[in-house]
Amino acid sequence: MRLYLVAGFLLVGLVQSFTVEKEHDRVLQDIPLSHKEHDDGTHDYDHEAFLGEEEAAEFNELDPEESVRRLALIVDKIDSDNDGLITVEEMQEWIKQSQARYVDEDTEKQWENYRQATDGQKDTLDWHEYREAVYGFLDHEPEGDVIEEGFSYRDMEARDQRRFSLADVDKDGRLTKLEFQSFLHPEHADHMRDIVVTETFEDIDKDKDGKITLQEYIGDMFKGSSEGAEEPEWVVSEREMFTKQRDRDGNGYLDVEEVKAWIVPPDFDHSEAEAKHLVFEADEDQDSKLTKEEILNNYDLFVGSQATDFGEALYRHDEF
């Protein structure tokens, strides 16, 4: 079973240089987050999907003995009852804590970037301030827009404004830090789930005809192999998944409700799913629990998972 999970769904946020991020993650189960095959035996998929290419490269250069030492310390933290065994429940709780920490830290970082841009004089953010910081450069473009590789900054601005409005719960035209967090990470706010579905649908529906075909579904995940080469096994599996599970009414395409059932499945807890996945993969004696030795023996698996906060915990020197 392949589980493709991501903690954060960010289209555009306030970044250090106030530039627009074109690439964004999805809150999707079963969508590859890397061009690497997930089960190719190297875990390059996990490293690039969860660490990013730069962080994955840094990981490859980290001294093996030091990284294993740090992972061992993380295992001690996961073992909340100190019995030497990691249960699914303990792993799930650790993943939840890691996820919450990531969201809080990212929000704080982006919020401080905004405060620095306004000399720290305000504790709320309105759309015009955000728009000027992120999209103000468009006002000086002769064509009124910038198109890069088919990507329109004007379209992204419109999407951001729609999301900004939805995050503004009290409708006072300004975002508090908590509302800003919902804007940055809508997948973690119940009232923002529909915008996650809408944005995902719009991204995949390339011809903008209001439906997602099999070609669009596969094309969003896989850009194709060299001519004559066979498709990876996971692509073949996804084609079958589209026909047998995603396309519930069998009409050959996905509508918004079918996409919603796919990316926001009812009663699905991705932290629980990831915890079960990790325990299953590393449980060498099949007792449904993990020892420290089993985790360290599967080192590559864990540094590419949410259990180590996408590997970032390995680099937090103050924790060790």
Side-chain angles (χ1 to χ4, degrees), residues 3 6 28 85 122 132 139 148 163 168 181 237 241 246 260 280 309 312:
L3 294 171
V6 73
L28 303 182
L85 297 172
K122 299 179 181 179
E132 176 61 27
D139 296 336
E148 294 183 6
R163 189 197 282 197
D168 181 16
Q181 178 170 299
S237 176
M241 182 75 72
R246 308 287 186 231
K260 184 175 184 178
F280 174 80
D309 194 9
E312 287 188 16

Side-chain angles (χ1 to χ4, degrees), residues 77-257:
K77 294 182 179 181
I78 299 174
D79 184 15
S80 58
D81 60 6
N82 299 312
D83 67 350
L85 297 172
I86 305 298
T87 64
V88 170
E89 291 74 19
E90 287 174 322
M91 184 68 72
Q92 180 181 357
E93 181 59 28
W94 175 260
I95 290 171
K96 285 183 176 180
Q97 291 176 10
S98 297
Q99 188 177 54
R101 183 170 62 245
Y102 162 75
V103 171
D104 289 344
E105 290 180 353
D106 184 59
T107 300
E108 187 66 32
K109 178 179 66 177
Q110 304 289 4
W111 189 254
E112 284 306 309
N113 288 341
Y114 157 70
R115 285 179 58 80
Q116 290 175 18
T118 57
D119 298 323
Q121 298 300 311
K122 299 179 181 179
D123 57 4
T124 58
L125 171 68
D126 69 32
W127 167 253
H128 298 291
E129 292 165 336
Y130 175 83
R131 191 264 172 197
E132 176 61 27
V134 179
Y135 298 105
F137 72 95
L138 291 175
D139 296 336
H140 308 290
E141 292 294 329
E143 302 298 324
D145 195 3
V146 174
I147 308 294
E148 294 183 6
E149 300 178 359
F151 170 86
S152 165
Y153 282 80
R154 282 295 184 191
D155 288 347
M156 186 61 76
E157 178 187 349
R159 287 172 60 145
D160 257 12
Q161 186 170 16
R162 179 179 60 187
R163 189 197 282 197
F164 193 100
S165 178
L166 187 60
D168 181 16
V169 176
D170 59 10
K171 303 305 177 187
D172 66 349
R174 305 187 66 85
L175 299 188
T176 63
K177 185 190 292 188
L178 183 60
E179 290 172 328
F180 185 63
Q181 178 170 299
S182 295
F183 172 75
L184 289 177
H185 298 280
E187 78 283 0
H188 293 288
D190 289 341
H191 69 285
M192 301 290 288
R193 292 297 176 88
D194 284 346
I195 202 66
V196 173
V197 175
T198 299
E199 291 176 355
T200 300
F201 191 96
E202 291 173 346
D203 286 339
I204 303 176
D205 181 21
K206 299 302 184 184
D207 61 8
K208 308 305 177 186
D209 66 349
K211 53 189 178 183
I212 294 174
T213 64
L214 174 60
Q215 182 177 358
E216 289 172 325
Y217 174 82
I218 295 297
D220 185 63
M221 301 180 279
F222 181 64
K223 305 308 178 185
S225 302
S226 58
E227 186 174 352
E230 292 186 5
E231 289 183 335
E233 184 179 343
W234 67 262
V235 176
V236 176
S237 176
E238 286 297 338
R239 289 185 181 277
E240 183 177 357
M241 182 75 72
F242 179 95
T243 302
K244 294 184 177 181
Q245 295 190 34
R246 308 287 186 231
D247 181 15
R248 294 185 169 189
D249 56 13
N251 63 359
Y253 60 85
L254 305 184
D255 57 26
V256 173
E257 288 304 312

Side-chain angles (χ1 to χ4, degrees), residues 25-79:
D25 300 322
R26 305 193 190 290
V27 182
L28 303 182
Q29 282 62 256
D30 305 329
I31 287 294
L33 302 176
S34 167
H35 294 301
K36 302 291 185 180
E37 290 189 52
H38 189 240
D39 298 315
D40 65 359
T42 67
H43 293 293
D44 282 346
Y45 171 91
D46 297 286
H47 299 164
E48 289 192 9
F50 294 116
L51 297 175
E53 291 187 11
E54 292 184 4
E55 289 82 358
E58 182 180 356
F59 164 79
N60 289 333
E61 297 178 2
L62 193 63
D63 179 80
E65 292 184 1
E66 175 62 12
S67 353
V68 170
R69 184 188 74 83
R70 295 183 183 186
L71 180 57
L73 293 177
I74 291 175
V75 175
D76 291 336
K77 294 182 179 181
I78 299 174
D79 184 15

